[in-house]
């Protein structure tokens, strides 16, 4: 038993840019080799797309690996859960013929109806809009940090639950009153929660006991990061970030799994970059190229439908996020989208007020003044979606992948050439 406890059974998948790198489809593909797939951060701000033949599944709260029979899902303690959304997603999967096996950590926190209300007010007042997803994520994590959050375990203690909610609603209503907005009713929130609890109470587990059992019985575990490294609360482009930790540190805190159980950290990078919402994007192309990437890459939000801002691959940010997340290998997505461009640019350093810099600054005003210094590579023609081996790719496409591998200095183990499961090339 001691021996098995020390085995490295856990791999982590992390989005290495500003989200929407294609993590969902990669998790779906990899999950076939795992027994447990778990989320560790974020909430229903995530939108993870999995395409299987003529069906498209978009996961917001559920782990994207649940489409494989026998794979067990867990929503870790680091996630903030909107129960209504969770129930809807579970029911949708059941309607589509799946029998998802899911557990929820009793230490995860709830997103409650006052969280999106608070978020709307905060965004309205901000002079520089973050452009949040309005899913109540920031205020829910805010309540957790202020010690006013509602932990899932409270669903089994109705009196304590009511107490926390009544107090918080009292406070929120004071603000709503000042702003002349409709007030919230704590009793309605509590009675709705009781109804929702009836649907999920059997899924709630002590996730630490769950992990101990999983590790001692040698189960293979895949952790699915939501959002992206550059939206990380500490290491992203603060304040234009989400409110959770999106990288390897977040995976440990958001599950309670020990460091010694971690094996691989798989970083997912898109072959270009996108961002939705406000904040700096040094390589953004507000021109024909940006439009080409958006249309060809179908870069519209899976959660909010907003058009994503698009630009060239940013090598400076790529090296930075690879370091902070301890990435051991890379999967590159959407190589097919670059076909047809005459040339492809990659930022290899920045110019900040006349000085060359190779590390992103912490100051957001400096970040906004960065001018990328580009390397230019030749593009290629042809549709890549039917390529299934690296050698089938056009010479310039292979050179682009080799170039990125040298730039980030971490092995690129696979490349995707389309959204479907099999549109994927192992290297
Ligand atoms: P996630 O949030 O990282 O899971 O990514 P999203 O699902 O929000 O966005 C990725 C989008 O790209 C989805 O529409 C996917 O179906 C699509 N996609 C993923 N991989 C590829 C690929 O290799 N080629 C193309 N053309 N589309 C892809
Ligand atoms: P997936 O998991 C892309 C962005 C929002 C906003 C900022 C803060 O699909 O990659 P929030 O609602 O989290 O407080 O918003 O973060 N954002 C995402 N952008 N992909 C996501 O998730 C995102 N989740 C949040 O657009 O700029
Ligand atoms: Mg997404």
């Amino acid at each position: 038993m001691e021996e098995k406890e020390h085995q490295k059974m856990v791999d982590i998948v992390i989005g290495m840019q500003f989200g929407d790198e294609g993590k969902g489809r990669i998790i779906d593909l990899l999950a076939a080799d795992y027994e447990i797939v778990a989320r560790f951060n974020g909430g229903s701000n995530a939108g993870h797309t999995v395409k299987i033949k003529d069906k498209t599944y978009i996961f917001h709260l559920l782990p994207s690996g649940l489409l494989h029979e026998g794979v067990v899902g867990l929503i870790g303690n680091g996630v903030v859960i909107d129960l209504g959304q969770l129930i809807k997603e579970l029911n949708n999967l059941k309607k589509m013929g799946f029998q998802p096996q899911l557990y929820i950590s009793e230490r995860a926190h709830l997103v409650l109806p006052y969280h999106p209300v608070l978020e709307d007010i905060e965004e309205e007042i901000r002079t520089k809009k973050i452009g949040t997803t309005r899913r109540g994520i920031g205020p829910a994590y805010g309540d957790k940090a202020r010690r006013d959050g509602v932990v899932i375990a409270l669903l089994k203690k109705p009196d304590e639950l009511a107490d926390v909610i009544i107090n918080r609603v009292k406070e929120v209503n004071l603000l709503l009153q000042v702003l002349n907005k409709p007030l919230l009713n704590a009793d309605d929130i509590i009675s709705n929660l009781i109804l929702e609890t009836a649907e999920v109470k059997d899924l709630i587990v002590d996730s630490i006991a769950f992990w101990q059992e999983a590790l001692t019985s040698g189960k293979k575990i895949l952790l699915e990061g939501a959002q992206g490294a550059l939206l990380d609360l500490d290491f992203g482009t603060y304040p234009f970030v989400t409110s959770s930790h999106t990288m390897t540190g977040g995976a440990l805190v958001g599950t309670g799994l020990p460091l010694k159980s971690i094996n691989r950290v798989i970083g997912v990078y898109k072959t270009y970059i996108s961002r939705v919402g406000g904040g700096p994007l040094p390589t953004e192309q507000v021109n024909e190229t940006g439009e080409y990437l958006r249309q060809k890459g179908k870069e519209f939000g899976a959660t909010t439908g907003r058009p994503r801002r698009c630009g060239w691959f940013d090598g400076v940010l790529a090296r930075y996020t690879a370091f902070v997340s301890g990435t051991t290998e890379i999967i590159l997505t959407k190589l097919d989208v670059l076909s047809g461009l005459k040339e492809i640019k990659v930022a290899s350093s920045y110019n900040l007020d006349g000085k060359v810099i190779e590390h992103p600054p912490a100051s957001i005003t400096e970040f906004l003044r960065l001018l990328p210094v580009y390397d230019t590579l030749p593009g290629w023609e042809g549709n890549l979606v039917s390529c299934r081996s690296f050698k089938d790719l056009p010479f310039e496409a292979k050179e682009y992948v080799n170039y990125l591998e040298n730039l980030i200095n971490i092995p690129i183990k696979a490349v995707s050439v389309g959204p479907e499961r099999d549109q994927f090339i192992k290297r």
Side-chain angles (χ1 to χ4, degrees), residues 110 112 114 150 160-170 186 189-190 193:
L110 287 175
L112 289 158
Y114 41 82
V150 179
E160 287 176 54
L161 176 77
D163 191 46
V164 180
I165 291 179
I166 288 167
N167 276 312
R168 192 66 180 109
V169 167
K170 222 183 261 172
I189 296 175
I190 294 163
L193 266 183

Side-chain angles (χ1 to χ4, degrees), residues 114 117-118 121 167-177 183-184:
Y114 41 82
V117 172
L118 288 169
I121 294 169
N167 276 312
R168 192 66 180 109
V169 167
K170 222 183 261 172
E171 218 177 346
V172 173
N173 276 346
L174 285 176
L175 176 68
L176 295 177
Q177 217 161 9
L183 301 190
L184 298 170

Side-chain angles (χ1 to χ4, degrees), residues 280-285 314 316 346-361 365-375:
L281 186 61
T283 56
E284 183 170 13
Q285 298 299 298
D314 189 323
V316 181
V346 176
S348 51
S349 63
Y350 299 131
N351 185 315
L352 175 65
D353 307 333
K355 266 200 209 136
V356 174
I357 62 164
E358 296 194 340
H359 301 277
T365 48
E366 286 182 6
F367 220 119
L368 287 162
R369 292 206 303 278
L370 295 175
L371 298 174
V373 178
Y374 288 112
D375 287 346

Side-chain angles (χ1 to χ4, degrees), residues 379-391:
W380 60 86
E381 293 291 335
N383 193 343
L384 307 188
V385 291
S386 49
C387 294
R388 291 294 173 272
S389 86
F390 197 69
K391 66 175 177 13

Side-chain angles (χ1 to χ4, degrees), residues 18-21 23 45-48 119 130-135 137-138 225-228 231 241-243 275-278 303 306:
F18 291 96
D20 306 326
E21 297 87 353
K23 303 172 293 293
N45 49 348
H48 300 163
E119 185 172 4
I130 297 174
T132 66
T133 58
R134 310 278 176 137
R135 299 296 151 111
I137 305 302
Q227 287 77 58
L231 293 172
V241 291
T242 191
S243 299
R275 166 164 215 167
V276 55
T303 297
R306 290 178 292 176

Side-chain angles (χ1 to χ4, degrees), residues 210-265:
F210 176 95
W211 290 131
Q212 281 170 334
E213 150 66 20
L215 289 183
T216 49
S217 59
K219 297 250 163 68
K220 286 190 76 188
I221 300 160
L222 187 62
L223 303 185
E224 173 180 7
Q227 287 77 58
L230 295 158
L231 293 172
D232 183 275
L233 184 58
D234 275 66
F235 299 104
T237 53
Y238 191 89
F240 300 96
V241 291
T242 191
S243 299
S244 69
H245 291 107
T246 56
M247 289 189 266
T248 309
L252 296 179
V253 178
T255 56
L257 280 161
L259 177 63
K260 66 185 178 188
S261 66
I262 307 300
N263 184 22
R264 299 188 290 158
V265 179

